[in-house]
Amino acid sequence: MNWFNGSIPDAIQRSKQQKVVFIVYVYGQNDLTNEMDKVWNDPEVVNLCNNGGCVAIKMAANSNDCAHFSQIYPVVVVPSTYFIGVNGAPIEVTAGHKDTPDFIQVLKNVLKLHNDQLGTAQSNLPTGGAQPGPSTEPKANTEDKPPLEERVQKVKGKLEQKKAEKERLEKEKEKQEEAERRKLGRDLQKLKEFQKEREMKETVDQLKKEKAEEKRQRDKIKEQIARDREERAARFKKETEKQQQAQEEKKQAQLAARQKQSSEEEAKKMETARIQVRLPDGTSLLNSFPSSDTLQCVHSVVSQHVGSDVTLSTVYPKRTFTTDDLSQTLLSLNLAPSAVLIAVPGKPSVISKQGNNGGGILALFFAPFLFLWNMIRVFLFGDKRSSQPKREDTPDATETPDESQSTRRRDRPQTAYQRRPISRGDGNVRRLADMRDDDDENATWNGNSTQQM
């Protein structure tokens, strides 16, 4: 909607100059105003106002302009719309919210009444030919004038016509006043209903407040009861805490002792690395080493057992140890307290490759076939290494006594629970080593299942 941006006097002056309808829209801060704003922004309403040349202005209900305006035109309901003619009399007044079709019909009626009033006012004005003036016609033409009686009849007819028109205008004015009176009555009725609803709402709010106050009082009493219960529970808890404190301190001391013992056991386990090596012929070699020893010690023991150089690797995480790794300790290589290694024939590579290692993959691929070939070879031709002296028991001629003694000490089991290596016999015959302790071999048992040493 195209609203007039100037002041109210400027809007009134423009409407009088252009002889158009002056529209005043009084708005407020409620839901009815929001609905009425949507009606004013309707395209058909905007087109009717623009085509009719209406001068429309809007003012807030709590503004000074509205206060001055209400001294002349009382503002009863907000929002309200006043349609004022050129003579200053209101043509139509709408209160509250109206639907778009009803408001469009009201706007059309207002424009029609305004146009009728303008047409009637122009017809009452004297025309230029009817004004008296000096006669410039010759005297001979005066004889052609109609007789006096005929002119009197014409004048009477015009007077009667004006009288009828005046009566018609008075009746229309009475009808308009009656419609305005009825409309004002309806607006007053709506205002009374609005006031009644507001009073009911205030009553409901007052009841809600009283209920809330009662609830607050009940909650306060409940809180007091709860506090009393908490105080009694706190006194009882304080008495029981003294009894439980000694038990708790005892439990904590026992827990600290167990934690200390477990940490010492864990540290003791980390001091020894229990290594199991899977050999190429399918057998396993189990031994324990100090975690501070290097991987070279394990490599030496495995190489002596196999009889040739081997490459050590782990399955998970996949890693093949190189010559650089042989100088590192078992603890730094994450092989303590226990680990499983795979021994593949061949010298260790110089470059360390972890993760996806081509040589390691090929070795794992051919390991089953090498295992089958070794089994077939042993079954058909026997184990050639069985005739050779055991490298782990007999020291090499080139080794010094200190080195042979250290090798035997390194190959000796470090714990009582370690599995002993499989003893080898002649040919294809194998037997497991006796897992019993030496003391058990000489022990005797009596009838009630007690051991006598």
Side-chain angles (χ1 to χ4, degrees):
M1 183 63 188
N2 298 325
W3 299 101
F4 186 77
N5 296 325
S7 60
I8 295 178
D10 295 339
I12 296 173
Q13 185 177 0
R14 177 177 291 186
S15 65
K16 287 184 178 180
Q17 289 177 355
Q18 297 179 0
K19 295 182 179 181
V20 294
V21 179
F22 178 49
I23 301 174
V24 179
Y25 172 54
V26 180
Y27 65 91
Q29 301 292 334
N30 50 22
D31 297 336
L32 296 176
T33 301
N34 297 331
E35 297 294 333
M36 198 61 193
D37 290 339
K38 295 179 181 179
V39 174
W40 276 110
N41 293 326
D42 188 82
E44 190 172 356
V45 174
V46 175
N47 292 333
L48 283 174
C49 293
N50 293 335
N51 295 334
C54 301
V55 178
I57 189 171
K58 61 186 301 188
M59 63 178 66
N62 55 358
S63 61
N64 295 328
D65 294 338
C66 182
H68 296 306
F69 179 79
S70 61
Q71 293 177 1
I72 302 173
Y73 304 97
V75 179
V76 181
V77 181
V78 178
S80 300
T81 305
Y82 295 82
F83 300 93
I84 302 173
V86 180
N87 56 358
I91 302 174
E92 181 72 19
V93 179
T94 62
H97 167 255
K98 281 188 173 295
D99 295 335
T100 302
D102 297 339
F103 190 76
I104 291 172
Q105 186 63 35
V106 171
L107 189 58
K108 289 180 179 179
N109 294 337
V110 169
L111 293 175
K112 184 178 179 182
L113 290 175
H114 177 70
N115 293 331
D116 293 341
Q117 289 179 3
L118 289 179
T120 304
Q122 290 179 0
S123 62
N124 292 334
L125 293 175
T127 59
Q131 293 180 357
S135 178
T136 57
E137 297 181 356
K139 293 181 180 181
N141 294 334
T142 58
E143 296 178 359
D144 297 335
K145 293 182 179 179
L148 180 60
E149 294 180 359
E150 186 176 355
R151 285 185 289 174
V152 170
Q153 292 295 332
K154 289 183 179 180
V155 171
K156 287 181 178 180
K158 290 183 178 179
L159 291 175
E160 290 178 357
Q161 186 178 2
K162 290 182 179 180
K163 185 176 180 181
E165 183 68 21
K166 184 176 181 182
E167 290 178 355
R168 185 182 66 81
L169 292 175
E170 288 179 355
K171 289 181 179 180
E172 290 180 356
K173 186 176 181 182
E174 289 178 358
K175 289 181 179 180
Q176 185 177 359
E177 290 178 354
E178 180 67 17
E180 292 178 357
R181 185 183 64 79
R182 292 179 180 180
K183 191 172 183 303
L184 183 60
R186 290 195 298 270
D187 294 341
L188 291 175
Q189 184 66 24
K190 290 181 180 179
L191 180 61
K192 289 180 180 179
E193 292 177 357
F194 176 74
Q195 291 178 351
K196 187 177 180 180
E197 290 178 358
R198 187 174 62 183
E199 290 176 357
M200 292 178 64
K201 187 176 180 181
E202 290 176 355
T203 304
V204 172
D205 293 339
Q206 183 65 25
L207 292 175
K208 288 182 178 180
K209 290 180 180 179
E210 292 177 357
K211 289 182 179 180
E213 182 66 22
E214 292 177 359
K215 184 179 179 182
R216 189 179 66 81
Q217 294 293 337
R218 288 196 301 270
D219 294 341
K220 187 176 180 181
I221 294 172
K222 290 180 180 179
E223 289 177 359
Q224 183 64 34
I225 295 172
R227 283 196 297 270
D228 295 340
R229 290 178 179 175
E230 290 177 357
E231 289 177 359
R232 289 195 298 270
R235 287 195 299 269
F236 178 75
K237 185 178 179 180
K238 187 176 181 181
E239 292 174 358
T240 56
E241 282 180 354
K242 293 180 180 179
Q243 299 175 1
Q244 295 177 356
Q245 186 175 3
Q247 298 178 359
E248 188 67 24
E249 291 177 355
K250 186 176 180 180
K251 290 181 180 179
Q252 290 180 357
Q254 293 177 356
L255 180 61
R258 286 197 298 269
Q259 291 179 352
K260 183 178 180 181
Q261 184 179 0
S262 61
S263 61
E264 290 176 355
E265 291 178 356
E266 186 67 22
K268 187 175 181 181
K269 288 181 181 179
M270 293 299 293
E271 292 177 357
T272 304
R274 189 167 177 266
I275 308 297
Q276 181 182 5
V277 183
R278 296 179 183 177
L279 303 178
D281 57 357
T283 60
S284 298
L285 177 63
L286 181 63
N287 205 343
S288 297
F289 301 90
S291 59
S292 59
D293 286 357
T294 60
L295 186 61
Q296 180 66 42
C297 298
V298 181
H299 182 267
S300 300
V301 173
V302 176
S303 298
Q304 290 176 7
H305 188 82
V306 174
S308 62
D309 288 336
V310 294
T311 300
L312 300 178
S313 61
T314 57
V315 178
Y316 184 81
K318 183 67 181 70
R319 179 177 181 181
T320 301
F321 297 105
T322 61
T323 55
D324 295 336
D325 298 329
L326 297 178
S327 60
Q328 298 185 20
T329 62
L330 300 178
L331 184 61
S332 62
L333 294 174
N334 296 326
L335 299 179
S338 63
V340 178
L341 302 179
I342 296 176
V344 179
K347 293 184 179 180
S349 59
V350 179
I351 301 175
S352 177
K353 293 185 179 179
Q354 299 181 3
N356 293 330
N357 192 326
I361 293 175
L362 292 176
L364 291 176
F365 179 76
F366 288 107
F369 300 100
L370 293 175
F371 173 71
L372 293 176
W373 167 248
N374 290 330
M375 293 294 292
I376 295 170
R377 181 175 57 81
V378 172
F379 181 75
L380 295 177
F381 305 104
D383 192 0
K384 296 180 180 180
R385 292 175 295 178
S386 61
S387 60
Q388 298 177 0
K390 295 182 181 179
R391 297 178 181 272
E392 62 272 15
D393 296 332
T394 304
D396 192 0
T398 57
E399 291 181 352
T400 62
D402 296 335
E403 293 178 353
S404 61
Q405 186 177 1
S406 62
T407 303
R408 286 195 301 272
R409 186 182 301 111
R410 186 167 53 249
D411 296 338
R412 186 182 304 165
Q414 300 296 325
T415 60
Y417 300 99
Q418 183 176 0
R419 190 178 68 183
R420 298 183 179 181
I422 299 174
S423 63
R424 302 181 183 274
D426 295 336
N428 297 328
V429 179
R430 300 289 187 272
R431 71 179 182 88
L432 294 174
D434 191 0
M435 300 300 294
R436 295 177 300 174
D437 293 334
D438 295 338
D439 296 336
D440 293 342
E441 295 178 356
N442 301 323
T444 60
W445 302 84
N446 57 10
N448 57 358
S449 301
T450 57
Q451 186 179 10
Q452 295 179 356
M453 301 301 295

